[in-house]
Amino acid sequence: MENFKTAKIYLEEEKNALIVTITRSYIPMNEFKEIFNKAYEFIPLYSIKKLIFDKRKLMVFHQPSMEWYFVEWKEKAFNMGLNIIRKVLPDDKIFKQSVKIGWSKIANEHPNAKFHQMNIAYVHSIEQALND
């Protein structure tokens, strides 16, 4: 549907879901924002309720990108009707620990952010995310 240097965006109309699949080990923040800003266009157009974020190819965790994604992107996406997020993480214990620490920091600093109202879960595959 949409291709970037570091990601692809797919629409799964039957499941009312948007899939963002990362295709490289690192995403510069400006491109990360470009990818997710493009995703905004599909949410109202297709009444998207679920985002599946496939991060399995990522090897580098970037806290500023994660903070923008949680605090700004999810806020706007929630207001557009998106309320379910499924994430597929790489099979890397250090990456997973970095995500956990980063999320905890963001959650503590933004206790009233809309992402707290979203149904967010980690899954093992896109198939699981689509059926969850």
Side-chain angles (χ1 to χ4, degrees):
M1 182 172 211
E2 289 289 329
N3 291 313
F4 297 86
K5 287 187 225 174
T6 57
K8 293 182 180 185
I9 299 175
Y10 303 93
L11 178 65
E12 177 53 65
E13 287 187 73
E14 284 183 29
K15 299 289 186 172
N16 203 26
L18 194 63
I19 304 168
V20 176
T21 300
I22 304 306
T23 59
R24 300 228 177 131
S25 62
Y26 174 73
I27 303 175
M29 188 165 180
N30 62 334
E31 186 160 344
F32 185 84
K33 285 182 172 183
E34 184 181 336
I35 292 161
F36 280 92
N37 283 332
K38 184 65 175 178
Y40 280 139
E41 296 176 21
F42 300 106
I43 296 169
L45 189 61
Y46 295 98
S47 300
I48 299 297
K49 302 294 181 214
K50 180 188 281 187
L51 171 76
I52 300 167
F53 189 6
D54 181 359
K55 305 180 192 184
R56 289 178 287 184
K57 295 260 177 148
L58 277 179
M59 296 179 71
V60 177
F61 175 81
H62 188 249
Q63 180 67 23
S65 294
M66 185 175 180
E67 189 157 341
W68 173 84
Y69 169 68
F70 268 84
V71 177
E72 294 183 40
W73 190 86
K74 285 184 180 179
E75 187 91 9
K76 186 175 175 183
F78 181 85
N79 291 334
M80 298 170 97
L82 184 111
N83 60 5
I84 301 169
I85 304 219
R86 296 295 178 259
K87 299 177 183 188
V88 187
L89 294 177
D91 190 23
D92 178 329
K93 289 179 184 178
I94 294 171
F95 189 93
K96 288 177 182 177
Q97 186 64 28
S98 296
V99 167
K100 187 176 181 179
I101 292 167
W103 181 89
S104 181
K105 177 184 181 296
I106 294 166
N108 288 333
E109 291 176 359
H110 303 277
N112 299 317
K114 296 277 174 76
F115 69 84
H116 292 288
Q117 298 174 46
M118 295 177 125
N119 177 343
I120 302 171
Y122 296 96
V123 294
H124 299 289
S125 68
I126 290 175
E127 294 74 26
Q128 182 185 4
L130 285 168
N131 295 314
D132 184 24

